[in-house]
Amino acid sequence: MTLSDAELERYARHIVLPDIGGGGQIRLRQSHALLIGAGGIGSPAIQYLAAAGVGRITVVDDDIVSLSNLQRQTLYATEETGQAKVDAAAAAVARLNPGVDFSGIRERIDAAGAARLLAETRPDVVLDGSDNFATRLAVADAAYALRIPLVSAAVAEFEGQLGTFRGWEGDKPCYRCFVGNDPERAEVSCSEQGVLGALTGVMGSLAALEAIRMLAPFGEDSAGKLLLVDALALRFRTLRLPKDPGCPNCAA
């Protein structure tokens, strides 16, 4: 497979990077990324994955664009309020990069739905920016069962976190090693506690970076590490996550 003249020009700044090059760009074009959520994290992630030339992007979200989203979800415009987010995202991707095959699925994911969806679509990477813990666990379990790398990002108020999980590997933790087992933990929505809009852009862009790293590997492997961002102190910290010897998923 080769790149067309238009692709060589579009992705020139990737291709001149020695760690990506033409081969890495072709890998991106052949790849499929599945995003759970088209909100504060999904919005910039969709833009950067499409701009990077990921050949196939599937986005799952059941919500519509509301005016309160626009403080942080820059994929959408004021005149798109009331539209399904997956439809507005499809239009945005078509404007940005018509060479991307975009699919929008308007549904809310539960455990059974996550397992079915991942088995049917078979993505090369899953990027989870969903807004509730039960969905995150369901997606993480499905990705683990099918051995699909999971990039998980979250934002609350002035703090963000990002991790990449490949728990089937002997020295890497899975998502349950990190968060434990309880899907009924109390949660507070961003409408109740607030969220800094620009921080969702940072975390969504970093999540796209990690997804690209999984599709066309470069640099140090980030799986098994957790990035913590404190926007109040403008501080970034990286922790190494241990594998939980008692984890019900990956301990065996």
Side-chain angles (χ1 to χ4, degrees):
M1 180 176 288
T2 59
L3 298 170
S4 68
D5 289 345
E7 287 173 315
L8 289 171
E9 182 176 357
R10 179 184 287 268
Y11 307 119
R13 301 304 188 274
H14 273 176
I15 294 169
V16 298
L17 292 170
D19 290 332
I20 296 181
Q25 193 61 52
I26 289 172
R27 289 186 66 168
L28 291 176
R29 190 175 73 175
Q30 295 173 325
S31 295
H32 177 201
L34 172 66
L35 288 84
I36 308 297
I41 290 168
S43 174
I46 290 166
Q47 290 174 293
Y48 275 106
L49 291 175
V54 173
R56 183 180 172 199
I57 297 175
T58 301
V59 177
V60 184
D61 196 296
D62 69 336
D63 202 4
I64 62 171
V65 179
S66 65
L67 199 59
S68 64
N69 296 150
L70 303 183
Q71 163 257 9
R72 62 199 177 280
Q73 298 176 25
T74 56
L75 187 64
Y76 312 116
T78 302
E79 59 269 22
E80 292 174 315
T81 54
Q83 290 187 29
K85 286 184 178 178
V86 291
D87 293 339
V93 169
R95 290 192 300 269
L96 177 62
N97 190 347
V100 173
D101 179 6
F102 182 94
S103 299
I105 300 175
R106 192 176 178 185
E107 67 176 72
R108 193 165 186 85
I109 296 297
D110 56 15
R116 171 189 52 78
L117 176 68
L118 269 66
E120 289 176 354
T121 59
R122 289 287 177 168
D124 299 297
V125 66
V126 176
L127 194 162
D128 186 5
S130 58
D131 59 2
N132 69 89
F133 187 63
T135 298
R136 288 178 178 275
L137 271 184
V139 171
D141 287 347
Y144 173 82
L146 293 170
R147 298 194 170 194
I148 301 171
L150 170 69
V151 177
S152 179
V155 178
E157 297 181 304
F158 296 92
E159 298 180 348
Q161 66 181 33
L162 173 70
T164 299
F165 300 91
R166 299 196 310 267
W168 58 89
E169 297 181 13
D171 60 339
K172 300 290 192 300
C174 71
Y175 186 73
R176 283 187 182 268
C177 289
F178 168 45
V179 300
N181 243 350
D182 182 11
E184 304 301 328
R185 61 172 60 183
E187 295 185 278
V188 182
S189 69
C190 67
S191 63
E192 297 172 290
Q193 66 179 177
V195 61
L196 182 64
L199 181 59
T200 66
V202 171
M203 299 312 299
S205 298
L206 286 171
L209 173 65
E210 287 306 289
I212 292 168
R213 190 195 304 273
M214 293 301 103
L215 299 174
F218 60 88
E220 295 184 11
D221 185 8
S222 55
K225 300 175 183 177
L226 182 69
L227 176 67
L228 301 175
V229 179
D230 179 351
L232 289 175
L234 195 58
R235 180 173 60 191
F236 288 66
R237 291 188 297 153
T238 302
L239 308 177
R240 187 168 295 279
L241 296 174
K243 202 174 184 72
D244 180 2
C247 177
N249 262 358
C250 67

